[in-house]
Amino acid sequence: MKNRSNWLLIWSVTLLAHTAHSCPEKCLCHKASKTADCKNRGFTEIPARLPPEIQILQLQNNRIWRINQNAFTATPLLKILDLSNNSISSVALGAFQKLRYLQVLNLTRNLIHYIENKTFSFLPHLKELDLSSNSIIRLPETFGNSTGNITLLSVKHNKLQKMERILLESLPNLKVVLFKDNPWQCNCNIFGMKLWLESFLYRGGISDGIICSAPGVRKGKDLLKVPYELFGACALRAAPVPPASSHQWPSSEQRAWPKHGPHGEPGDGGRGGCEPKARPRPVSLRHAIATVVITGVVCGVVCLMMLAAAVYGCAYAAITARYHKEHLGPVRQHGTPEEKEPFESSMA
C-alpha cells in the first residue's frame, strides 16, 4: 500500500508538472520552432498554461476582447506576438510589461479606440508595432519607457485627426511610418507633424504620406505640399521657446495651440486671430536646398548671357577692324588726287 501511495504521488506530481508546461488543449505547440499556434480557435481571452519557453505566439482570428494586466507573465521569452483580427477594445496598462524580449507586436484589425500613455512600457527590444485598421482616435504623447528602438510604426486605417510631434520624436530609430486613410485635420494642430515629417523624409525615412481630409480647401492634398503661408500664425506659435535647462520640456502654455478663428479653425486665416501676420521663417531643408539650386541655375544663365555678349562684342570688333582694313586701308595709303597735286607741285 505504501509503494502504491508513493507511485500515486509521483504520478500526480508528474501530471501536474506536465499540465503546467503543456500546450493548451486548442493550440498546437511546436518545440523546434518554439511556436504556439492558437489562431482560429475561438478564444475570448489569452489562454492559460502556455509553455514558458515559446517565442512565437499566434492568437490571430479569435474573439479576444480584452488584454488584462500581466496577461503574458507565463511567457516571458516571447519575441513575436500576433493578436490581429480579434475584438480587442482595450489594453490594460502593464499588459505587456513582462515581455522584455518582444520584437514584433501585431494589433491590427481590432476595435481599439484609445492608446494610453506608457501602454508599451518596458519593451526595450520592440522593433515593429502595428496598430493599423482599428478605430483609434487618439494616440498618447509617449508609448512608454524603453520604446526608442521601434523602427516600424503603422497607424493607417484609423480615425486619427492629429498626432503629437513629441510622440514621433520619442522614436529616434524609426525608419518606416504609415499614416494613410486617417481623417487628418490639416490645421495648426498638425503643423508640428508636418515639420517632423519633412525632417524624417530628408533623413531617409519611408512614409506613405499624409492626405488632408479637412478643411475643405485642403481636402485631398498632400500635407507636405500645403504652403507654410496657409497655416497663418501657426509657425510663430510652433516656434520653440528656449527652456530653462537643456533637459526641460516646454510648459503647457508654451505648447498651447493657436486660438480658433472666426471660422472655427485654428490659425486658418481668421483675420481677427492672425493679424498682424509675420512671414514664417523657412524651416524646410528641402526648400533651402531647392533655393540654392535655383539660385545657382539663375547665376549660371546670367554668366552664359554675359559670355555670349562678350563673344558677340569680340566678333563685332574683329569684323569692323577687317572692314576698315580692306576698304579704308588703300585710300589712306595712296591718297586722293587733290591731296597729291600740292605735293607734286612742291616737288617740281
Side-chain angles (χ1 to χ4, degrees), residues 112-120 129 131-132 134-143 153-156 158-168 171 177-179 182 184 193:
I112 301 172
H113 288 80
Y114 302 98
I115 298 292
E116 300 296 338
N117 271 329
K118 300 184 178 180
T119 297
F120 306 108
L129 178 59
L131 299 171
S132 59
N134 279 277
S135 299
I136 300 173
I137 62 176
R138 186 191 67 202
L139 288 173
E141 290 188 351
T142 174
F143 282 142
L153 173 64
S154 177
V155 294
K156 62 184 182 180
N158 277 288
K159 297 180 180 180
L160 292 168
Q161 296 184 6
K162 67 173 184 176
M163 194 170 174
E164 299 295 342
R165 181 179 181 181
I166 191 173
L167 170 60
L168 295 166
L171 306 173
V177 58
L178 304 177
F179 292 120
N182 278 281
W184 300 110
M193 196 174 174

Side-chain angles (χ1 to χ4, degrees), residues 23 80 83 96 101 109 115 130-132 157 160 241 245 264 314:
C23 195
I80 299 176
L83 287 161
F96 306 106
Y101 301 99
R109 297 193 301 278
I115 298 292
D130 193 345
L131 299 171
S132 59
H157 304 295
L160 292 168
V241 178
S245 65
C314 292

Side-chain angles (χ1 to χ4, degrees), residues 127-297:
K127 295 184 180 298
E128 297 182 14
L129 178 59
D130 193 345
L131 299 171
S132 59
S133 300
N134 279 277
S135 299
I136 300 173
I137 62 176
R138 186 191 67 202
L139 288 173
E141 290 188 351
T142 174
F143 282 142
N145 303 324
S146 305
T147 54
N149 286 323
I150 294 177
T151 59
L152 183 148
L153 173 64
S154 177
V155 294
K156 62 184 182 180
H157 304 295
N158 277 288
K159 297 180 180 180
L160 292 168
Q161 296 184 6
K162 67 173 184 176
M163 194 170 174
E164 299 295 342
R165 181 179 181 181
I166 191 173
L167 170 60
L168 295 166
E169 290 178 341
S170 70
L171 306 173
N173 291 308
L174 202 59
K175 299 293 187 294
V176 180
V177 58
L178 304 177
F179 292 120
K180 75 174 184 178
D181 291 333
N182 278 281
W184 300 110
Q185 302 289 311
C186 294
N187 50 33
C188 284
N189 289 337
I190 208 172
F191 186 66
M193 196 174 174
K194 171 183 171 71
L195 301 181
W196 177 88
L197 185 56
E198 288 182 338
S199 176
F200 174 72
L201 294 175
Y202 179 78
R203 297 193 309 268
I206 299 173
S207 176
D208 54 359
I210 296 175
I211 304 301
C212 302
S213 293
V217 293
R218 301 173 197 168
K219 185 175 182 180
K221 292 184 178 180
D222 189 333
L223 176 63
L224 295 180
K225 296 181 180 179
V226 177
Y228 287 99
E229 289 77 7
L230 295 185
F231 283 96
C234 298
L236 295 178
R237 296 296 184 105
V241 178
S245 65
S246 59
H247 301 286
Q248 181 178 351
W249 289 105
S251 65
S252 58
E253 294 181 358
Q254 293 169 348
R255 289 187 278 113
W257 298 111
K259 294 182 179 179
H260 288 263
H263 299 288
E265 184 184 346
D268 234 332
R271 303 184 67 85
C274 294
E275 290 186 354
K277 286 186 180 180
R279 185 176 182 84
R281 292 186 306 169
V283 292
S284 171
L285 294 175
R286 293 192 303 166
H287 290 177
I289 293 174
T291 302
V292 172
V293 172
I294 293 173
T295 304
V297 171

Side-chain angles (χ1 to χ4, degrees), residues 273-339:
C274 294
E275 290 186 354
K277 286 186 180 180
R279 185 176 182 84
R281 292 186 306 169
V283 292
S284 171
L285 294 175
R286 293 192 303 166
H287 290 177
I289 293 174
T291 302
V292 172
V293 172
I294 293 173
T295 304
V297 171
V298 172
C299 291
V301 172
V302 171
C303 291
L304 290 175
M305 293 175 65
M306 294 176 64
L307 180 62
V311 171
Y312 175 79
C314 292
Y316 179 80
I319 293 172
T320 303
R322 184 176 179 181
Y323 174 83
H324 281 281
K325 184 177 180 181
E326 291 179 354
H327 294 81
L328 300 182
V331 174
R332 290 178 179 175
Q333 182 177 359
H334 300 289
T336 60
E338 290 79 3
E339 292 175 342

Side-chain angles (χ1 to χ4, degrees), residues 20-184:
H21 297 281
S22 64
C23 195
E25 182 180 353
K26 296 181 180 180
C27 300
L28 297 175
C29 296
H30 307 282
K31 291 185 178 180
S33 60
K34 297 181 180 180
T35 300
D37 183 356
C38 302
K39 59 179 179 286
N40 296 302
R41 299 294 193 274
F43 286 112
T44 57
E45 59 183 13
I46 306 300
R49 298 191 306 276
L50 287 164
E53 69 275 7
I54 63 170
Q55 297 182 3
I56 301 174
L57 178 54
Q58 299 174 335
L59 283 168
Q60 62 266 39
N61 304 325
N62 282 290
R63 295 196 296 271
I64 300 171
W65 63 278
R66 178 177 171 80
I67 304 177
N68 296 317
Q69 190 174 14
N70 298 321
F72 302 98
T73 304
T75 55
L77 301 179
L78 278 182
K79 292 184 178 180
I80 299 176
L81 176 57
D82 192 342
L83 287 161
S84 61
N85 199 23
N86 277 279
S87 302
I88 300 169
S89 59
S90 62
V91 179
L93 289 176
F96 306 106
Q97 66 180 359
K98 300 297 182 180
L99 302 179
R100 296 187 58 82
Y101 301 99
L102 191 66
Q103 298 179 11
V104 178
L105 178 56
N106 189 349
L107 289 167
T108 186
R109 297 193 301 278
N110 278 284
L111 304 174
I112 301 172
H113 288 80
Y114 302 98
I115 298 292
E116 300 296 338
N117 271 329
K118 300 184 178 180
T119 297
F120 306 108
S121 288
F122 309 110
L123 298 176
H125 294 93
L126 186 63
K127 295 184 180 298
E128 297 182 14
L129 178 59
D130 193 345
L131 299 171
S132 59
S133 300
N134 279 277
S135 299
I136 300 173
I137 62 176
R138 186 191 67 202
L139 288 173
E141 290 188 351
T142 174
F143 282 142
N145 303 324
S146 305
T147 54
N149 286 323
I150 294 177
T151 59
L152 183 148
L153 173 64
S154 177
V155 294
K156 62 184 182 180
H157 304 295
N158 277 288
K159 297 180 180 180
L160 292 168
Q161 296 184 6
K162 67 173 184 176
M163 194 170 174
E164 299 295 342
R165 181 179 181 181
I166 191 173
L167 170 60
L168 295 166
E169 290 178 341
S170 70
L171 306 173
N173 291 308
L174 202 59
K175 299 293 187 294
V176 180
V177 58
L178 304 177
F179 292 120
K180 75 174 184 178
D181 291 333
N182 278 281
W184 300 110

